[in-house]
């Protein structure tokens, strides 16, 4: 078995989940900058509810929104190196997404407070991501964060 195969096999399930989500967030962040995948790309704003660009024609995005996805992805990749970091990433990241869900439901989509921006599809995706990330942390985290785990 090669060293990299051995290292992959040694990863705890919580680390693999954080790594996978980190990769997904990175891909989503990049896709948000690709015309065609992001519709109405010409109306992409840095940060404003007036950004008319939508990832897959569904999720409202801005440059800031895409940068946040890229940062979330990089954080997931970095924290997936240790089981405790992966657990924290999933648990705290999920909590942040649930806060974003409540925030998105609370502020009007046409409000200046919606600076990221978010639309109804984003709001409900944030809810699903929050529940899924916290669920993964709780389901996988305890097994992978024991004293001997990497």
């Amino acid at each position: 078995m090669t060293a990299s195969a051995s290292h992959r096999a040694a990863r705890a399930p919580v680390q693999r989940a954080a790594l996978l989500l980190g990769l997904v967030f990175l891909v989503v962040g990049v896709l948000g900058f690709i015309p065609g995948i992001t519709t109405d790309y010409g109306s992409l704003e840095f940060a404003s509810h007036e950004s008319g660009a939508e990832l897959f024609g569904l999720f409202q995005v801005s440059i800031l929104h895409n940068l946040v996805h890229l940062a979330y992805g990089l954080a997931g990749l970095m924290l997936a190196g240790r089981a405790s970091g992966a657990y924290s990433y999933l648990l705290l990241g999920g909590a942040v997404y649930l806060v974003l869900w409540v925030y998105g439901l609370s502020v009007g989509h046409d409000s200046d407070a919606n600076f990221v921006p978010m639309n109804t599809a984003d709001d409900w995706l944030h809810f699903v991501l929050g529940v899924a990330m916290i669920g993964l942390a709780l389901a996988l985290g305890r097994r992978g964060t024991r004293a001997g785990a990497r």
Side-chain angles (χ1 to χ4, degrees):
M1 184 182 293
T2 67
S4 64
S6 170
H7 180 69
R8 275 194 304 273
R11 283 196 182 122
V14 69
Q15 290 174 273
R16 290 193 296 271
L19 183 64
L20 177 64
L21 279 170
L23 288 171
V24 168
F25 283 120
L26 275 178
V27 168
V28 166
V30 169
L31 291 176
F33 289 113
I34 299 175
I37 294 174
T38 298
T39 59
D40 296 321
Y41 189 80
S43 66
L44 186 70
E45 300 276 337
F46 178 76
S48 168
H49 68 278
E50 294 175 1
S51 182
E54 292 182 330
L55 183 62
F56 307 121
L58 185 62
F59 303 103
Q60 189 176 12
V61 293
S62 65
I63 293 169
L64 177 61
H65 205 152
N66 294 335
L67 292 174
V68 168
H69 286 140
L70 290 170
Y72 234 69
L74 289 173
L77 297 182
M78 291 186 324
L79 292 169
R82 300 190 61 76
S84 60
Y87 176 79
S88 295
Y89 171 73
L90 294 172
L91 189 66
L92 296 176
V96 167
Y97 269 108
L98 289 179
V99 168
L100 281 173
W101 170 62
V102 170
Y103 182 78
L105 294 177
S106 301
V107 301
H109 290 150
D110 292 328
S111 165
D112 287 340
N114 185 20
F115 65 93
V116 174
M118 298 177 284
N119 61 14
T120 301
D122 287 303
D123 294 339
W124 290 102
L125 180 59
H126 291 158
F127 172 75
V128 170
L129 284 169
V131 169
M133 289 176 79
I134 290 171
L136 285 168
L138 296 177
L140 304 175
R142 295 296 175 208
R143 290 180 280 178
T145 56
R146 285 191 267 262
R150 231 179 92 65

